[in-house]
Every structure is written in C-alpha cells, then in structure tokens.
C-alpha cells in the first residue's frame, strides 16, 4: 500500500527554524504521540521466497505492505550513544518498551544468535519494526503468556488501496475467509506465517498474536538469504523485505538508531501508541508493472483535505487487482533456505597414532525456520601435521546432509605423529557457516614391557656385555608396535635415580651415553637394545626401560673381573705356586 509520513512539528514549535532543525535531525518531525484507540495496526507479510520479489498477491513483503505507523522517535534521544546494554530505568512512555515485548525481542536475538550467529540480529531492529508495525503490541497489551488481547488485525487486503491478497488460511488467523489481513504484533500475513511461524514460548502453538512467537519469526525472516545485519546494505534489504517502502525503511531506521542509543522498560499495557498511520492510496486501476522490482518505486501520496492528490512515492502493485507476470525463477522458501550448521553430537576426537578414531565428525544443517535441512553440501577438512587423514587417504571430503539434516564425515585414521589437529566443517555459499572440532593423536602405548629371556647380563671392566638385551612391549595383551622406549642407566632397584658411572651406551660419535630416547618397538612389539659397555667400575648396576603408556622394567647388569680358572687336566694344587727350597749351607 502507499505509505506516507506526515511531517508534523511538536506542539508549540511552529517557527521555520524549529521545523528545519527537526527535518535535519530526523527527516521529519512530529508531535508527542497520543494514545490511540484499538484499531488497525500497520504490518507486512514477508513472502516465504524472501526479498525483492513483487507479486500480484502480496508484493513480496512480509506484511503484504499493509499500513504502518509513521511517527518518528522523540527529538531528544537517550544520552547513551552506541549501546542499549544498560537500559535507563525511567523515561517517557513513548520512549519505553513494555516488559514482555522487550523480553521477547531479547529472547529472539539470543535464539537466532545460537542457530544463525553470522546473521548478527540485534534486538533493537525487532523493537524498531514492532514499534512501526503495532506500536509495540498496542503499548504492551498482552496477557501473561505474551499474547495480544484483543488480537491485532490489519485491514482487509482487498486491493482497495492495499495489495490484493485473497484468503489463504480460511480465516484461521485473521478471522477473514475472503481476504487476508496482517496479524499480530509483527503483522505477518497468514501465508507468510504459514512458512515462518515459530513456537518460541513452548506452548505447542505457533501464534502470530503471541509476541514471543512473532518476534522469533520476524528475526528468522530478517536473517533469510544469508543476510548479515551488521552490514548496512543487508539490514536495509531485510527491512524492505518486510514492507517494500522507502518511507517505511527510513521510519524503521530512525527507531532502530533511537533504541540503539538507549531505551527503558515500562510495565505491560502502559505504552503510548503512535498516532499517525500511513494512509492507503486510492486504487489506481490495473497495474502495468511488468514484474518484480528490486528497488521500491515511487507511489502516489494520499489526497490532502480540501485539495487534489499530490504526487508522491508509489510502489508496484498497489491497488492492482489484475495479475502480474510471475518471476521466471522463484527463490527458495524458508523450508529450503539454509539457515545454520550445528554439532550433531560429535564426541571427543582422540586416537592413538596409527589407529582409527572411534568418533566420527557429524553436523546438523537447519533451514531458515530452524528445522533439519537435507541435501546441504558439507565440506570436511583436516588441518594439522599429525598425518591424520580421512578413510581413503584424503584430507578433504564433501558429504551431503540426509533427510534428517545430518552429515557424517568418513572415519578418521590417526597419523604416526602425536599432537593436536582440527577438523573443519563448512556449508553454505555467500555467508558460509563453519564449525571447528579439536582432535588429538596420542603416541602409541604399551602397558607391559619385559625381557624375552632371563639370562644373566655380565661383563668385565672395560669390556662390552656379550649378550644383547631384548624386550617385548604389549598393549592389552597384544604386541605394541611402534612404541617409543627410553633406556636409562640407574642406581637403585626402583630405577628412580640416574647413574653416571658403570655400564653405558655409545652415541653416533662413539662417546659414552647413559640414556637413549630414540628407541622404538618393531611390528611385533620387539626391541633389541644397542650394545652395552662397562667402564672400569665393578659392581651391580641397573638399566630402566620405560614406554609411552607408563610400562617399565628394570634390568640388572653386573660388572666384575673374570675368575681365574685352572688349565684343563690339572688340579688347583698343581697350578699353585710352589715354595722354593733353600740349599743348606
């Protein structure tokens, strides 16, 4: 319908200077709002197909471009630039927001932030639209559940100064079985509510007259088509998709800025209603508009008392009762529009090097209404240097969500290097949604390590041990392959104190070392230690072997001089030194 903002000066302020200042500040000035008796509230009906599609039925707007309030904010704005996080406690009723209404806007912001964080929906935008559409549910006249009482209905959209929208709900929402009407605090037309309706208060009903349900539906609708409402252009598109009028956009923008600077909570039912609804244009006759338009075009302004109609902005389809060509292609409905990407219950991602992860990465895609969405392509990517890959040796795979909205990545197989890595899931175009999962690869482990024989290990001072030390590592009674083992010469039976004398290994340069950290079990869990040498110190020494996983063993090493032995075929007496007889003098 045609929208027109009447420019009014505050009462008593009639000078040209005041008028000029008001216009410069707000693009229009107005008198303080007075209470308005219950009557039609402006509204709009966003099409399920989203923005920028004008049709003969609803002109592509959430409210069906039904009338709305054109009053602008007070000229004196709250002195809280840039923030509404700490709201003033008191102020005029005109500037305040009823408690239940404010709570619904903030709840909608939090819900959308969870399901579609990249939209960055501000509750102040919902408040601005709610102010323009219904005067904050007629000043907060809602019951304890947040339902408007009586219900809020716009005029019949019968093509007489409004869009022509024939009944789509059998009068279920609007009580009109002939034409649709905008319904509720956020003024959805029934056909739009059928696509975007929400149950935000958990009562099992999607009620356009309930402020909690309506606020969440409006939030999701504004976020459609991958909009980021922190970007001015996207915010403008969102508002225009709600009611296709530049004047409407400017009015909403004014209240949005006002609420961003600060507002305050007032009791339900005490809010002051705006006084200036937009006025429908006379039916101009059949429309000659060829089709959808991406920019609202001028529309005629209402006839002023005692004068002739004056030229003004118009918009395609207003007053038209003849069908217009449909766009050659239709945009996705909310049920088909990708809205958010969530974790579908993926647990901790941990695995031992070389082993498969028990857990698989799973995501859940939702549509713009928050319901599971199938056929969404999700790309999973492994990032890190652990060598972990998806089954088939790939670092990147793409999977489409099923009918339940879930997509599960292939099995992950850990690489040989211990450490952390990430798996990233990305879906959507334009404004992709991204989830990142942390994962860990732990070193191969053994819970037992033991010698493969019990032979005594003995060496003479300055010599090497003739017998090699061989051990086997196991994990849960199975051979533990690729397990790192540390060998250290120690002093005590428990292996708590390192030793700096006695047996030793040799490094690559042939120098003595008493700790080795580069040992690894083979495919059978076996490990044969390098040669061990003895220095000149005799005694009993110990070697401690430890593995990843905490298994350990302490092995005894003995260094002693060899015992002298008699030649074969002789007795000890025969080999003993004999006394020399001294000849008699």
């Amino acid at each position: 319908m045609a929208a027109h903002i009447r420019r009014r000066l505050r009462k008593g302020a009639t000078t040209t200077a005041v008028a000029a200042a008001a216009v410069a500040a707000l693009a229009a000035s107005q008198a303080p709002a007075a209470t308005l008796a219950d009557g039609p509230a402006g509204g709009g009906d966003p099409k399920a197909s989203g923005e920028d599609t004008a049709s003969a039925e609803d002109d592509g707007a959430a409210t069906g471009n039904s009338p709305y309030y054109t009053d602008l904010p007070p000229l004196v704005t709250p002195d809280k630039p840039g923030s509404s996080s700490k709201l003033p406690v008191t102020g005029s009723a005109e500037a305040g927001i009823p408690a239940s209404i404010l709570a619904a806007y903030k709840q909608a912001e939090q819900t959308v932030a969870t399901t579609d964080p990249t939209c960055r929906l501000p509750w102040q935008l919902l408040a601005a639209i709610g102010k323009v559409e219904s005067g904050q549910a007629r000043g907060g006249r809602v019951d304890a559940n947040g339902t408007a009482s009586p219900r809020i209905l716009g005029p019949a959209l019968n093509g007489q100064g409004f869009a022509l929208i024939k009944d789509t709900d059998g009068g279920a929402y609007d009580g009109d079985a002939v034409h649709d009407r905008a319904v509720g605090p956020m003024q959805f037309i029934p056909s739009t509510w059928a696509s975007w309706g929400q149950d935000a208060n958990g009562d099992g009903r999607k009620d356009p007259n309930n402020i909690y349900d309506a606020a969440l539906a409006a939030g999701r609708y504004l976020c459609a088509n991958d909009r980021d409402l922190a970007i001015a252009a996207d915010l403008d598109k969102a508002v225009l998709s709600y009611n296709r009028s530049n004047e409407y956009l400017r009015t909403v923008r004014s209240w949005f800025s006002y609420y961003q600077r600060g507002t305050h909570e007032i009791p339900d039912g005490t809010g002051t209603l705006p006084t200036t609804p937009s006025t429908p244009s006379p039916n101009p006759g059949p429309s000659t508009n060829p089709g959808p338009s991406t920019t609202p075009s001028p529309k005629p302004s209402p006839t002023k008392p005692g004068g002739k109609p004056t030229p003004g902005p118009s918009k395609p389809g207003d007053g038209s009762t003849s069908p217009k060509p449909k766009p050659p292609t239709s945009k996705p409905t909310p049920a088909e529009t990708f809205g958010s990407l969530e974790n579908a219950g993926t647990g901790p991602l941990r695995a031992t090097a070389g082993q498969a992860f028990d857990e698989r990465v799973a995501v859940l895609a939702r549509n713009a209404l928050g319901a599971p969405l199938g056929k969404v392509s999700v790309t999973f990517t492994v990032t890190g240097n652990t060598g972990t890959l998806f089954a088939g040796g790939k670092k990147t795979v793409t999977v489409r969500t099923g009918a339940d909205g879930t997509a599960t990545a292939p099995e992950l197989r850990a690489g040989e290097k211990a450490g952390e890595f990430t798996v990233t899931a990305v879906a959507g175009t334009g404004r992709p949604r991204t989830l990142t999962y942390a994962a860990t690869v732990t070193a191969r482990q053994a819970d037992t390590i033991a010698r493969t024989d019990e032979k005594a290990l003995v060496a003479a001072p300055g010599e090497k041990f003739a017998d090699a030390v061989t051990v086997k590592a196991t994990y849960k009674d199975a051979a533990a392959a690729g397990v790192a083992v540390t060998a250290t010469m120690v002093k005590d039976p428990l292996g708590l104190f390192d030793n700096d004398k006695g047996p030793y290994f040799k490094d690559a340069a042939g120098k003595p070392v008493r700790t080795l950290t580069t040992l690894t079990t083979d495919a059978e869990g076996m490990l044969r230690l390098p040669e061990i040498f003895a220095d000149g110190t005799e005694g009993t020494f110990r070697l401690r072997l430890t593995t990843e996983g905490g298994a350990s063993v302490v092995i005894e090493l003995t260094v002693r001089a060899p015992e002298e032995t008699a030649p074969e075929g002789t007795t000890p007496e025969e080999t003993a030194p004999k006394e020399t007889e001294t000849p008699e003098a």
Side-chain angles (χ1 to χ4, degrees):
M1 57 151 274
H4 175 67
I5 298 180
R6 295 179 180 174
R7 290 157 172 78
R8 299 182 291 112
L9 296 175
R10 288 184 175 277
K11 293 180 181 179
T14 58
T15 66
T16 303
V18 172
V23 172
L26 294 174
S29 60
Q30 72 284 323
T35 302
L36 181 66
D38 289 346
D45 171 329
K47 262 313 220 189
S49 58
E51 70 202 52
D52 298 338
T53 302
S55 74
E57 293 183 351
D58 64 7
D59 207 16
T63 62
N65 290 325
S66 59
Y68 53 89
Y69 289 111
T70 62
D71 298 56
L72 293 173
L75 291 176
V76 179
T77 58
D79 188 20
K80 294 182 70 62
S83 173
S84 293
S85 58
K86 296 181 180 179
L87 303 179
V89 177
T90 61
S92 69
E94 180 184 18
I97 300 177
S100 293
I101 314 304
L102 181 60
Y105 296 150
K106 291 186 173 181
Q107 178 178 298
E109 177 192 61
Q110 293 171 358
T111 300
V112 173
T114 299
T115 60
D116 189 3
T118 55
C119 174
R120 296 189 282 183
L121 169 73
W123 68 259
Q124 293 91 340
L125 179 60
L126 296 175
I129 290 175
K131 179 71 172 179
V132 173
E133 291 295 345
S134 68
Q136 309 296 18
R138 292 197 183 114
R141 288 167 177 79
V142 295
D143 62 19
N145 294 321
T147 302
S149 180
R151 62 183 176 178
I152 302 171
L153 296 176
L157 299 174
N158 56 12
Q160 302 302 310
F162 309 111
L164 173 62
I165 306 179
K166 295 182 180 180
D167 176 66
T168 60
D169 66 332
Y173 295 121
D174 56 12
D176 189 334
V178 179
H179 298 97
D180 273 347
R181 298 169 181 258
V183 182
M186 304 306 283
Q187 289 289 275
F188 281 98
I189 57 172
S191 59
T192 300
W193 185 258
S195 295
W196 292 90
Q198 302 287 307
D199 175 19
N201 64 350
D203 65 356
R205 298 177 60 231
K206 297 178 180 180
D207 184 358
N209 273 294
N210 181 274
I211 184 58
Y212 292 95
D213 294 356
L216 180 57
R220 293 200 189 283
Y221 179 82
L222 293 167
C223 288
N225 299 316
D226 287 337
R227 296 190 189 103
D228 180 352
L229 299 182
I231 299 173
D234 277 7
L235 188 143
D236 288 350
K237 288 179 181 178
V239 174
L240 286 172
S241 76
Y242 213 87
N243 194 309
R244 201 166 295 286
S245 159
N246 283 330
E247 280 74 19
Y248 179 84
L249 172 61
R250 285 193 288 269
T251 306
V252 170
R253 272 286 198 175
S254 295
W255 281 105
F256 178 51
S257 289
Y258 182 84
Y259 288 138
Q260 280 187 311
R261 291 177 62 83
T263 184
H264 60 279
E265 180 183 299
I266 60 176
D268 288 349
T270 64
T272 300
L273 281 176
T275 61
T276 311
S278 61
T279 306
S281 302
N283 189 340
S287 170
T288 58
N289 189 295
S293 170
T294 58
T295 303
S297 57
K299 58 188 175 184
S301 63
T303 304
K304 295 183 178 179
K308 296 181 179 180
T310 57
S314 66
K315 59 185 173 185
D318 276 358
S320 172
T321 59
S322 61
K324 289 182 287 187
K326 293 288 185 181
T329 58
S330 60
K331 294 185 179 180
T333 65
E336 300 168 332
T337 301
F338 176 50
S340 63
L341 191 67
E342 303 172 11
N343 183 358
T346 306
L349 296 171
R350 292 189 292 263
T352 302
Q355 303 299 311
F357 282 75
D358 292 333
E359 197 76 16
R360 292 171 65 180
V361 179
V363 299
L364 170 62
R366 294 187 183 275
N367 62 21
L369 300 176
L373 181 62
K375 299 182 180 180
V376 175
S377 292
V378 183
T379 299
F380 299 93
T381 303
V382 174
T383 303
N385 59 357
T386 64
T388 300
L389 298 170
F390 289 112
K394 297 180 179 179
K395 295 191 70 172
T396 299
V397 294
T398 299
V399 181
R400 300 190 74 174
T401 59
D404 62 352
T406 62
T408 303
E411 181 183 69
L412 281 167
R413 179 163 289 277
E416 290 298 332
K417 185 176 180 180
E420 296 182 349
F421 68 97
T422 60
V423 178
T424 303
V426 181
T429 57
R431 240 178 355 108
R433 312 312 197 261
T434 302
L435 290 178
T436 300
Y437 299 80
T440 303
V441 176
T442 58
R444 293 174 183 262
Q445 299 181 2
D447 52 21
T448 303
I449 186 169
R451 285 189 66 192
T452 57
D453 61 59
E454 297 181 357
K455 191 173 183 179
L457 299 169
V458 181
E463 301 294 332
K464 70 177 180 180
F465 286 81
D467 297 307
V469 176
T470 303
V471 295
K472 181 175 183 178
T474 59
Y475 182 69
K476 295 182 179 180
D477 296 327
V483 175
V485 179
T486 299
T488 305
M489 299 298 176
V490 293
K491 295 180 180 179
D492 60 300
L494 297 179
L496 301 178
F497 302 99
D498 293 357
N499 205 343
D500 58 358
K501 61 180 62 178
Y504 60 89
F505 302 104
K506 288 183 179 181
D507 63 13
K511 295 181 179 180
V513 292
R514 289 186 167 84
T515 297
L516 294 179
T517 59
T518 58
L519 307 174
T520 305
T521 60
D522 62 17
E524 303 298 325
M526 304 292 289
L527 171 64
R528 180 186 177 93
L529 269 63
E531 292 180 324
I532 302 175
F533 299 87
D535 63 8
T537 307
E538 295 189 33
T540 300
F541 302 90
R542 294 170 180 85
L543 167 65
R544 182 189 67 217
L545 302 177
T546 58
T547 71
E548 289 287 345
S552 66
V553 62
V554 176
I555 299 171
E556 189 173 282
L557 303 172
T558 301
V559 178
R560 66 167 178 248
E563 296 180 359
E564 294 187 15
T565 58
E568 188 175 350
T570 63
T571 64
E573 290 78 8
E574 292 176 326
T575 58
K578 295 182 179 180
E579 293 183 1
T580 303
E581 294 182 0
T582 304
E584 292 182 0

